[in-house]
Amino acid sequence: MDKILVYILIGAALLFAGSVISKVIAFYWRAGYEDRKHAREQRRQEKAKWKYAQVGANNLLLERIIQTRFIIFKGSWGKGKSILMNLVAHYLYVKELDSIQTQLRYNKIMRPDYTREYFALHESGRLPIYSNLDFIVGENSATQLRSQELEPYIKLQQRAIQKAIFCIDEFSSLFPKELYYENQANQNPELTEMKEFFKKNRHYTNGWILGTEQDGEDMYKGFRKNGYALVTALGTTVSLPPKAKALRSFKNLINKLAPAYFTTNVKQLFKEELFVKDKVKLFFKLFLPSYICLPKCYYQRKQDIHNKIKEKYSRFQTLLEYDGVQYYLRYTNNDIFAYDTRAYKHEYDELFDSDGKRKTKNESTN
C-alpha cells in the first residue's frame, strides 16, 4: 500500500512538473512567435526581391512594366531613377531591334514602311529614341548611333517613327504643374496638341513615354490624369568585381614603370627621331618611372585606366518598387546606353534648390 502511494505521489509530481514546464515553454514560444513570424516574412520578402534580378531577354518584371505605355520613374536625388529609365529604354530598343531582325522577311512584307524607316534611321546614325539626355550606342565604333532631340517631336512639329521611345529626364522641369493653371487662363493650342499626344500616344506612334520625376504630383496635371505606371527607385549601388580590381592594380603598376605603355606607339616614335642622341632622350623620357619624370602624365593615364575598367566591368544593383512590391535588378554597362549624367549637373543647379525641390518658373528665371 505504501509503495502504491509513493508511486501515485511521484506520478502526481511528474505530472505537475510536466505541466509547469510545458506552460513555461508555451509562454516563451508564444512570446517569440510574432518575432519569428516577422523574421520568416522578411526572409521570404528578401528572397522574392531577387526573383527577376537578372536582366536579360524576356525579363518578366521588365515585361510587366512595359505593358504600360506611359511610365514614370520616381525617386529622390542619387537613387538611380535616370539609369533605371535608361535600362528600360535600352531593353525596349534591343527587344524591338531583335524582333525586326529575327522576323525580317515577315516585316518586309507586312510592315514595309516601318521596316524601311527603321533601317533608314540606323543608316543615318540615329536611334528611335527622343530624349533630353544624349544616349549613345557604339560610342567607339564607326556605327555610332545617338538619340534625337525631344521637343520637336513631342510638340508634333515632326512625325516620330513607329515604336518610338520618348525619354524625358526630370519631367516636371519640362512640364511643370503651373502649366495647367496658365493654360486654364490662356488656352495654348500647342499644349492641347501635346495633351492629345500623351493621351493617345499608342495611336500616334505605338511607342512608350518614359520620364523621371522626384515627385509625381509636381508634373502637369493634363498628362498626370491620363494615368501612368509608377516605378520607384529606392537606391542604386555600383561595384567592381575582384578581377577588375586586380586588373586595375596590375595596369597601374605597369603605367608607373612605363608611363607611355598604354598611350604611345613607341616603335613609331623611335623611327621618327633622326639622331641617336634624340632616341636616347626619348627612351629615358618614355620609360623612366613616371613619378620621377612624368608625374602629370602618369596621373592622367592612371585616371584613364580607372575610367576604362570602370566602364567595362561596373555592376549596377537597383532596388525598386513596382505595384507595391520591391525587386532588385542587376545589370552592367552592356544593358544600358552610354551617357554622361555629369553633363546635365549644371542644369540641375538651375532647376532645383539645395533640398532637391523643383523651383517654380519665376525662381528659375531669376
Side-chain angles (χ1 to χ4, degrees):
M1 189 69 181
D2 292 340
K3 284 186 178 180
I4 293 173
L5 186 59
V6 169
Y7 288 141
I8 290 173
L9 290 173
I10 290 172
L14 290 173
L15 184 63
F16 177 75
S19 175
V20 171
I21 291 169
S22 64
K23 285 182 178 179
V24 170
I25 292 172
F27 173 77
Y28 283 107
W29 177 265
R30 282 195 297 270
Y33 176 74
E34 289 300 324
D35 292 337
R36 289 193 301 275
K37 183 180 177 182
H38 181 64
R40 280 198 304 271
E41 181 62 21
Q42 279 189 321
R43 287 195 297 270
R44 188 190 67 77
Q45 289 181 5
E46 192 62 30
K47 188 177 179 182
K49 286 179 186 178
W50 297 97
K51 192 173 181 180
Y52 309 113
Q54 198 61 38
V55 171
N58 300 317
N59 178 289
L60 294 179
L61 173 61
L62 294 177
E63 289 293 330
R64 279 174 55 204
I65 291 173
I66 64 175
Q67 292 302 310
T68 307
R69 298 295 173 131
F70 186 11
I71 308 165
I72 291 293
F73 299 89
K74 181 184 172 184
S76 56
W77 286 17
K79 296 298 182 183
K81 58 186 182 296
S82 294
I83 201 169
L84 198 55
M85 178 180 73
N86 182 333
L87 174 68
V88 173
H90 188 271
Y91 182 84
L92 286 167
Y93 165 70
V94 172
K95 182 182 173 75
E96 186 59 21
L97 187 63
D98 184 62
S99 171
I100 290 174
Q101 291 175 340
T102 54
Q103 303 176 38
L104 190 57
R105 187 179 177 191
Y106 169 85
N107 284 315
K108 281 184 175 179
I109 295 169
M110 302 303 293
R111 300 195 296 173
D113 293 338
Y114 170 59
T115 306
R116 189 163 47 249
E117 274 189 355
Y118 204 94
F119 282 111
L121 202 66
H122 272 242
E123 286 170 10
S124 63
R126 294 177 295 158
L127 290 166
I129 295 174
Y130 308 88
S131 179
N132 55 352
L133 292 174
D134 189 14
F135 293 135
I136 308 167
V137 175
E139 190 173 5
N140 299 314
S141 68
T143 57
Q144 186 186 84
L145 302 171
R146 303 186 84 96
S147 58
Q148 302 174 65
E149 286 185 29
L150 174 71
E151 292 199 44
Y153 289 89
I154 57 175
K155 293 179 180 178
L156 298 182
Q157 295 169 1
Q158 302 180 40
R159 189 175 68 82
I161 191 172
Q162 286 289 301
K163 299 280 188 180
I165 304 166
F166 297 90
C167 295
I168 307 168
D169 193 44
E170 299 297 350
F171 202 95
S172 67
S173 64
L174 199 58
F175 303 112
K177 62 184 178 184
E178 296 96 66
L179 273 178
Y180 180 76
Y181 305 108
E182 291 175 13
N183 198 45
Q184 293 289 96
N186 186 16
Q187 288 290 317
N188 184 337
E190 192 177 76
L191 194 57
T192 304
E193 282 191 355
M194 278 194 281
K195 277 172 61 180
E196 282 296 298
F197 175 68
F198 274 74
K199 186 177 181 180
K200 300 175 181 176
N201 172 50
R202 192 163 186 174
H203 301 286
Y204 281 106
T205 70
N206 197 25
W208 289 265
I209 297 170
L210 313 177
T212 67
E213 182 51 57
Q214 294 184 50
D215 179 5
E217 298 300 311
D218 203 24
M219 64 187 192
Y220 179 52
K221 183 179 177 181
F223 302 150
R224 182 161 30 99
K225 69 180 182 181
N226 293 328
Y228 54 87
L230 185 65
V231 180
T232 306
L234 300 173
T236 299
T237 57
V238 187
S239 62
L240 284 175
K243 70 174 183 179
K245 292 178 182 178
L247 181 63
R248 185 174 65 185
S249 299
F250 175 70
K251 289 198 170 185
N252 283 341
L253 177 62
I254 294 177
N255 181 46
K256 197 169 188 177
L257 299 174
Y261 181 82
F262 295 109
T263 55
T264 309
N265 186 338
V266 179
K267 191 175 179 180
Q268 185 65 31
L269 278 177
F270 272 92
K271 279 185 179 179
E272 289 172 0
E273 293 295 348
L274 298 176
F275 303 104
V276 175
K277 66 176 184 179
D278 294 320
K279 291 181 187 291
V280 173
K281 284 180 182 178
L282 183 62
F283 177 84
F284 281 101
K285 184 180 178 183
L286 292 177
F287 292 107
L288 269 179
S290 58
Y291 52 82
I292 294 175
C293 63
L294 291 170
K296 185 177 180 181
C297 291
Y298 163 66
Y299 285 112
Q300 285 175 338
R301 287 168 191 149
K302 182 178 179 180
Q303 190 59 46
D304 289 341
I305 291 167
H306 279 220
N307 292 342
K308 286 180 180 178
I309 289 177
K310 187 177 178 182
E311 182 182 340
K312 185 172 183 180
Y313 294 103
S314 283
R315 290 177 178 172
F316 301 90
Q317 181 174 295
T318 296
L319 177 63
L320 63 90
E321 184 175 312
Y322 173 67
D323 204 15
V325 183
Q326 292 183 359
Y327 302 94
Y328 277 113
L329 280 175
R330 275 184 168 174
Y331 47 101
T332 67
N333 279 313
N334 293 328
D335 301 308
I336 58 175
F337 294 113
Y339 78 125
D340 184 8
T341 53
R342 289 174 298 180
Y344 304 93
K345 197 170 182 181
H346 68 282
E347 293 182 15
Y348 288 178
D349 294 337
E350 293 171 8
L351 297 170
F352 300 95
D353 61 24
S354 57
D355 297 323
K357 299 292 184 184
R358 186 181 61 82
K359 296 177 182 177
T360 63
K361 268 189 178 181
N362 295 333
E363 289 175 326
S364 298
T365 51
N366 288 342

